[in-house]
Amino acid sequence: MLSVSNLHASVDGKAILKGLSLDVPAGEVHAIMGPNGAGKSTLSYVLTGRDGYEVTGGSASLDGEDLLALAPDQRAARGVFLSFQYPLEIPGVPALTFIRTALNAQRRARGEAEITAPEFLKLARVKSADLKIDFEMLKRALNVGFSGGEKKRMEILQMAMLSPRFLILDETDSGLDIDALRIVSDGVNALRSPERAMLVITHYQRLLDYIKPDRVHVLAGGRIVASGGPELAHELEANGYERYEQAA
Amino acid sequence: MSLASAIRDRDVAELPSKRDEDWRWTDLRGLVRVLPEPSRPANPSSAGPFDALAGDVRVSTNGGTVTPVVIAAGETAAVALRFVSRGAGAHLAAVDVTVGAGARLVLLESYESDEASVAQVSLAITLASGAIVERIVLAQDDAEAVCVSYAQVVLGPSAKFHQTIVACGARRQRLETRVLHPGGGAELRLDGVYLLANKAHSDQTTVVTHTGTDGLTVQLTKGVVRDQARGVFQGKIVVDEGADRTDARMGHHALILSDRAEVDAKPELEIYADDVACAHGNTVGALDEDALFYARQRGMSQAEARSLLTEAFIGEVVDHIGHDGAREVVCAWVAERLRG
Ligand SMILES: Nc1ncnc2c1ncn2[C@@H]1O[C@H](COP(=O)(O)OP(=O)(O)OP(=O)(O)O)[C@@H](O)[C@H]1O
Ligand SMILES: [Mg+2]
């Protein structure tokens, strides 16, 4: 599914990713942990094509297709979804309008028919109920005035409605209360399937109790410096990143 | 000095120029070297944008006279006023609008030109006590036209006047509104939208004079300019001595979508009273790149993300239009221009 090899990237001329390699096969969930400023969010932006994140070397592909050559919306149409660490506010655009526009843009890009208005509303009602989001909230401008936790829930709602194939969750757990963490995790787990894969960026083992990873990687100094099974997350929780930062 | 007197006297020396302080961004003298021949009488070639919404449609083509709009006290009416310019001549039109005590009027005004005409329309709008008027102006001038609309509005006690001007510019286009506000429970809302492309120029100028206590004025103008277009906003609020407890708020916000586009804004508060709440906000900037990326990450193309965000930006003004039918017409007009 996702294959990243010796990736180098810089922001404002400053090298952030320095030879990062990572493979996430279809059907698997991989967690990325690492100290603040290690480059985790940078990796998520490079994979989704944000302006200003300049790739200076290496490659990244999804199912063998060069991701880095595609525009952000083309990547989205291929099924790449990023749950933002800091979701953006979209003044004046009701959440429903935003999501419907995005969904239909993806469908058109894939040569599929657009979703009809009744189908869309039905989908929105079902998915928002799953995530315990008040449907009325979807009529408000997306994320404007939403609490931190509400914004994160809204990310997962968008994910559930767009039904992507490769999911990147950048600290989706931060800002969520205990109940919300479970609800959101259920939403994410519902998307686990043999055709999909996920990259879960987090600082906390707790999320990984709900979304059980197949592999855990440590990102430090712009590279993956250690990889292991789920037990690695426990080890990090106990001992911190000190020895990995030295390695980086 | 006005375009009207220049056309009437056929004398370009009377055109306002950049030496006139409130015309410095809309110089007509430097632009119009020779006035075109007076326009010939003509008939409008097509329907107006608001015809379906008004029982009463009045058309002035090439300066043809229209009967004054008089709404008797207590009456309710919707009137469409079309100012049509056909061909490349010069002409003047003038209309009086009188709204009686407690009457309600929806005034659906449109400017429609098809060539390099030079025209001024002057309106005198008078609201008696307690009258309620919503004026919606759709200025869809030709790219080569020079057009000035000048409206003088006098509010009676407790009158409510709500105006929304929507414009796509012209070679030179100036939409000027002057309001005499008596305070005392009268309410004024002046909104505007300009959507400019290519070399279009649009100038929205307002002057509101508060003469009595307890007046309310709210203004919001938003613009989107691209290519080499130029938007001008001049908003002046004068609070006379003794017009205490005036509450006046003015906002102007513009999006510039290209390096060569330009927006000139001059919000002005001239306050001679002691006890007032007045504020203005003015921003001119580009679309939020982070929001654009967010939309594209969700699957929208660059063009689609831009139009969604710009429509939402303009939507804040359009959504305020009270008349449902007019709001729909304006909404569709805006969407068509922004999706281009
Ligand atoms: N525009 C920028 N200019 C310069 N440096 C930047 C810029 N954006 C990010 N950085 C730097 O890149 C490094 C990696 O940032 P990134 O956001 O990827 O870290 P992270 O691993 O996601 O951290 P956190 O755990 O705090 O979210 C940081 O040192 C950050 O300061
Ligand atoms: Mg981060």
Side-chain angles (χ1 to χ4, degrees):
Chain A
M1 190 109 194
L2 180 78
S3 178
V4 179
S5 169
N6 196 28
L7 190 61
H8 290 256
S10 56
V11 182
D12 279 344
K14 182 181 163 201
I16 312 285
L17 300 185
K18 303 165 185 170
L20 185 143
S21 297
L22 178 71
D23 275 287
V24 187
E28 294 194 4
V29 172
H30 287 207
I32 290 191
M33 304 182 81
N36 294 130
K40 302 183 297 298
S41 294
T42 301
L43 173 64
S44 71
Y45 294 142
V46 169
L47 292 178
T48 49
R50 189 169 192 158
D51 270 351
Y53 290 76
E54 195 197 347
V55 176
T56 52
S59 63
S61 63
L62 188 72
D63 293 331
E65 186 177 21
D66 181 8
L67 264 188
L68 304 177
L70 300 175
D73 46 302
Q74 294 174 314
R75 300 184 201 195
R78 305 275 193 295
V80 177
F81 181 95
L82 168 62
S83 170
F84 282 61
Q85 181 173 1
Y86 304 107
L88 276 297
E89 299 188 354
I90 310 291
V93 184
L96 282 172
T97 306
F98 185 86
I99 302 171
R100 184 168 34 82
T101 308
L103 182 55
N104 280 331
Q106 288 201 16
R107 288 188 168 214
R108 277 198 309 276
R110 291 194 291 261
E112 300 165 10
E114 293 195 4
I115 190 167
T116 64
E119 274 172 345
F120 176 79
L121 281 178
K122 195 173 152 209
L123 181 68
R125 282 189 197 281
V126 170
K127 297 298 181 188
S128 56
D130 286 350
L131 290 162
K132 304 218 164 23
I133 293 171
D134 181 3
F135 189 75
E136 288 305 306
M137 195 160 177
L138 303 184
K139 297 176 182 167
R140 287 168 52 189
L142 179 61
N143 291 336
V144 177
F146 291 13
S147 75
E150 287 168 345
K151 288 180 183 171
K152 293 301 177 75
R153 258 191 240 206
M154 207 53 77
E155 292 292 280
I156 300 307
L157 175 70
Q158 293 177 57
M159 190 172 88
M161 294 190 65
L162 294 171
S163 177
R165 296 191 310 127
F166 188 79
L167 293 65
I168 306 168
L169 306 178
D170 191 355
E171 295 197 28
T172 297
D173 49 339
S174 65
L176 291 179
D177 66 41
I178 296 161
D179 295 333
L181 183 64
R182 204 186 49 248
I183 293 163
V184 160
S185 301
D186 288 347
V188 174
N189 285 328
L191 284 169
R192 287 183 88 145
S193 82
E195 301 81 44
R196 293 197 176 94
M198 298 183 194
L199 203 52
V200 179
I201 298 168
T202 182
H203 286 297
Y204 305 106
Q205 155 59 32
R206 200 182 43 176
L207 177 69
L208 304 180
D209 287 339
Y210 292 109
I211 305 173
K212 296 211 160 35
D214 298 291
R215 302 279 294 164
V216 175
H217 307 277
V218 180
L219 200 171
R223 293 166 43 234
I224 301 294
V225 295
S227 300
E231 71 289 347
L232 180 55
H234 290 279
E235 194 263 320
L236 291 169
E237 188 100 334
N239 301 323
Y241 294 115
E242 208 179 333
R243 49 181 272 238
Y244 299 106
E245 287 188 283
Q246 279 158 7
Chain B
M1 289 286 174
S2 70
L3 176 59
S5 66
I7 292 172
R8 189 185 55 232
D9 301 340
R10 300 207 50 75
D11 181 3
V12 290
E14 291 183 38
L15 289 169
S17 77
K18 58 184 170 216
R19 279 190 298 278
D20 301 302
E21 178 58 20
D22 67 339
W23 286 87
R24 62 183 163 144
W25 289 319
T26 304
D27 176 23
L28 297 184
R29 182 90 167 82
L31 180 82
V32 182
R33 296 298 170 158
V34 183
L35 282 165
E37 290 301 305
S39 297
R40 277 188 249 266
N43 290 315
S45 57
S46 54
F50 296 122
D51 286 5
L53 303 175
D56 179 350
V57 180
R58 304 180 191 202
V59 191
S60 167
T61 304
N62 288 355
T65 38
V66 270
T67 45
V69 176
V70 180
I71 312 299
E75 295 286 295
T76 297
V79 176
L81 263 185
R82 298 178 59 196
F83 297 101
V84 179
S85 299
R86 295 200 62 195
H91 55 266
L92 297 170
V95 181
D96 287 349
V97 178
T98 312
V99 187
R104 287 169 171 264
L105 170 66
V106 177
L107 189 63
L108 301 159
E109 196 174 314
S110 57
Y111 293 82
E112 307 160 45
S113 50
D114 62 358
E115 274 186 58
S117 50
V118 175
Q120 172 157 346
V121 171
S122 306
L123 296 102
I125 303 174
T126 310
L127 281 72
S129 117
I132 299 177
V133 172
E134 178 164 29
R135 178 187 183 213
I136 295 146
V137 180
L138 189 57
Q140 40 188 2
D141 277 304
D142 187 76
E144 295 305 322
V146 174
C147 173
V148 171
S149 160
Y150 179 84
Q152 192 115 39
V153 182
V154 179
L155 302 184
S158 305
K160 289 188 172 62
F161 186 75
H162 177 183
Q163 163 174 304
T164 309
I165 291 180
V166 184
C168 61
R171 184 128 185 256
R172 287 287 187 286
Q173 177 186 65
R174 159 102 150 197
L175 301 151
E176 181 169 341
T177 312
R178 290 180 177 252
V179 184
L180 217 50
H181 193 314
E187 289 179 21
L188 174 64
R189 180 163 188 123
L190 293 179
D191 290 343
V193 164
Y194 54 90
L195 308 174
L196 311 180
N198 303 316
K199 291 188 170 173
H201 172 111
S202 185
D203 169 338
Q204 297 199 14
T205 292
T206 63
V207 180
V208 178
T209 307
H210 282 264
T211 58
T213 60
D214 300 291
L216 174 69
T217 293
V218 179
Q219 279 189 262
L220 180 64
T221 300
K222 286 193 161 189
V224 176
V225 293
R226 61 181 81 223
D227 306 324
Q228 299 172 62
R230 184 179 194 188
V232 174
F233 171 77
Q234 304 186 105
K236 185 170 177 176
I237 295 176
V238 182
V239 181
D240 281 353
E241 202 178 330
D244 288 328
R245 296 181 302 282
T246 292
D247 184 347
R249 284 149 219 289
M250 172 170 37
H252 167 254
H253 307 282
L255 283 178
I256 297 197
L257 301 185
S258 98
D259 295 346
R260 297 167 76 192
E262 183 180 333
V263 170
D264 298 295
K266 187 171 163 199
E268 259 184 300
L269 300 174
E270 234 179 78
I271 299 170
Y272 301 103
D274 302 323
D275 175 19
V276 296
C278 293
H280 66 79
N282 181 47
T283 59
V284 178
L287 268 180
D288 178 358
E289 286 295 328
D290 294 336
L292 269 178
F293 172 67
Y294 186 70
R296 296 193 69 194
Q297 202 304 300
R298 297 299 189 249
M300 292 174 222
S301 67
Q302 174 88 345
E304 199 168 12
R306 274 169 173 258
S307 67
L308 182 79
L309 297 180
T310 44
E311 264 178 67
F313 174 78
I314 293 303
E316 193 191 348
V317 178
V318 176
D319 289 349
H320 270 117
I321 295 176
H323 186 276
D324 291 338
R327 191 174 55 248
E328 278 167 33
V329 168
V330 170
C331 216
W333 190 86
V334 165
E336 187 189 314
R337 261 158 196 81
L338 291 180
R339 285 171 205 170

